[in-house]
Amino acid sequence: KPICALGPKAPKAPIASFVSSAHIVSTLLCRLYPKHFFALRGHEFSDTSESDVPVSIADLWTRCTTDPSFPAELSLEFYTGSGAFTLNAGGVAFGKGPDGKAIRGALVLPPWCEGPEDFVLKNRVALESDYVSQHLSDWVDLVFGPLSRGDAGVEAKNSYFLECVRCRRIGDGFTRDE
């Protein structure tokens, strides 16, 4: 199942957002690339602006499993590098979180890691684990295979609104609808 189909408010189908988007990736990496984040949003935030920037990994998990319009795909930075994407070295304002407090700090990491580098290392170890290797074909079926479309996709809670996947089949390939 896609991550947004795991929580208690899992959509029946279809899902309101596609697996990856510039919006989701820029939100996850906003602390590392604030200029890109603000350029995609078209504005900067103040401490009083409503924001969808996650405050913590726990917040990100809750949103991914309860909000079908935010099926966050973990970007490469979760598995490689120093974990700098979790820091906010410039103290940039990303608006206010659900608790009404300003989002200016680093992404709050889970208690099972000792810091950004350890967070990335443990994610990479999990990604390279025997369990993940044994279940990789399930992911391939979900993303590219029989569970990515049709009745099987609906049954797997893995179907999307047509507007999220605006492409059409031409011969053996696909092209985007304009």
Side-chain angles (χ1 to χ4, degrees):
K1 293 180 182 179
I3 193 159
C4 64
L6 296 176
K9 296 180 182 177
K12 302 277 187 271
I15 297 169
S17 176
F18 196 57
V19 175
S20 184
S21 71
H23 171 84
I24 290 171
V25 173
S26 71
T27 300
L28 295 176
L29 302 180
C30 67
R31 289 170 174 85
L32 186 58
Y33 304 111
K35 288 182 183 179
H36 294 68
F37 174 75
F38 294 132
L40 282 167
R41 298 296 175 99
H43 62 88
E44 293 193 15
F45 290 97
S46 69
D47 287 340
T48 59
S49 306
E50 295 281 332
S51 179
D52 63 347
V53 171
V55 176
S56 66
I57 294 297
D59 175 40
L60 180 60
W61 174 257
T62 299
R63 288 188 50 212
C64 288
T65 57
T66 61
D67 181 355
S69 68
F70 195 84
E73 169 186 332
L74 299 184
S75 63
L76 181 63
E77 286 79 1
F78 277 72
Y79 306 100
T80 64
S82 66
F85 77 96
T86 68
L87 305 174
N88 186 1
V92 177
F94 292 108
K96 65 179 180 178
D99 61 0
K101 294 182 182 176
I103 302 171
R104 284 186 172 268
L107 187 66
V108 177
L109 299 174
W112 48 258
C113 67
E114 297 176 15
E117 287 183 14
D118 189 48
F119 176 72
V120 169
L121 175 65
K122 287 179 177 167
N123 280 332
R124 187 171 56 247
V125 167
L127 181 66
E128 295 171 350
S129 71
D130 289 340
Y131 178 86
V132 170
S133 295
Q134 291 164 3
H135 292 87
L136 189 58
S137 63
D138 298 338
W139 176 81
V140 171
D141 286 347
L142 192 64
V143 176
F144 304 106
L147 300 179
S148 69
R149 61 193 168 278
D151 292 340
V154 172
E155 183 69 27
K157 296 185 178 182
N158 190 38
S159 63
Y160 298 84
F161 281 113
L162 184 59
E163 292 80 13
C164 297
V165 197
R166 298 197 79 138
C167 62
R168 57 190 158 100
R169 190 170 191 96
I170 295 184
D172 292 332
F174 291 90
T175 185
R176 269 188 30 192
D177 283 341
E178 298 300 330

